[in-house]
Amino acid sequence: MDIHNTITVIVGIITILGAVYKLAQVESNINTKIASIETKGFLIVENLKDKVGERITTVDRKLDVHLQDFVNYKDAILLQGKGLDEKINHTWSKTKELLNEQKTEIKDIQASLKIRD
């Protein structure tokens, strides 16, 4: 019986050592997988950061182009409006001159008609 107990203890110790060894391998494998996943995660974040940066740059350029188009359009409208104002003022000035000339002619005609009476 003594040998039986000794063999049982030795087999138990070998089993425990085998389990610890296997657990160490599994833990090492898990750590490797975690490190791999962590590396992939960092690469994904870096790629995403680059793509977002490129997209922001593209949108910024498009916005600059549209803002410049708006400024040019606004300036063109203001110049057109100013041109129309000048044209209206010029036409009104000519009309005033013509009205003043006609008033003067009417007064001259009235004065000549009063003299004849």
Side-chain angles (χ1 to χ4, degrees):
M1 237 357 202
D2 197 23
I3 290 183
H4 184 268
N5 286 338
T6 306
I7 292 176
T8 304
V9 169
I10 292 173
V11 170
I13 291 173
I14 291 173
T15 305
I16 290 173
L17 290 175
V20 168
Y21 176 74
K22 189 66 173 175
L23 184 62
Q25 282 182 336
V26 169
E27 182 182 347
S28 173
N29 192 14
I30 289 174
N31 287 339
T32 304
K33 286 183 181 180
I34 288 173
S36 173
I37 291 171
E38 188 176 88
T39 305
K40 287 178 184 176
F42 285 138
L43 289 174
I44 289 171
V45 169
E46 286 297 319
N47 289 339
L48 184 62
K49 185 174 79 171
D50 291 342
K51 286 181 182 179
V52 168
E54 290 172 6
R55 184 72 174 158
I56 287 173
T57 303
T58 303
V59 169
D60 187 43
R61 286 183 187 149
K62 286 180 181 179
L63 180 64
D64 287 343
V65 168
H66 289 297
L67 287 175
Q68 190 61 44
D69 284 347
F70 173 75
V71 167
N72 292 341
Y73 178 75
K74 181 188 73 152
D75 290 345
I77 295 298
L78 289 175
L79 287 173
Q80 183 182 13
K82 187 175 181 185
L84 289 175
D85 285 344
E86 289 176 359
K87 194 172 188 179
I88 289 169
N89 288 338
H90 178 72
T91 304
W92 180 246
S93 297
K94 285 174 74 176
T95 305
K96 275 176 138 179
E97 289 174 11
L98 289 173
L99 284 175
N100 286 337
E101 287 176 12
Q102 286 183 358
K103 281 183 185 178
T104 305
E105 287 178 12
I106 291 173
K107 285 181 183 178
D108 288 344
I109 292 172
Q110 286 177 346
S112 67
L113 287 177
K114 281 186 183 179
I115 295 175
R116 286 189 186 173
D117 282 340

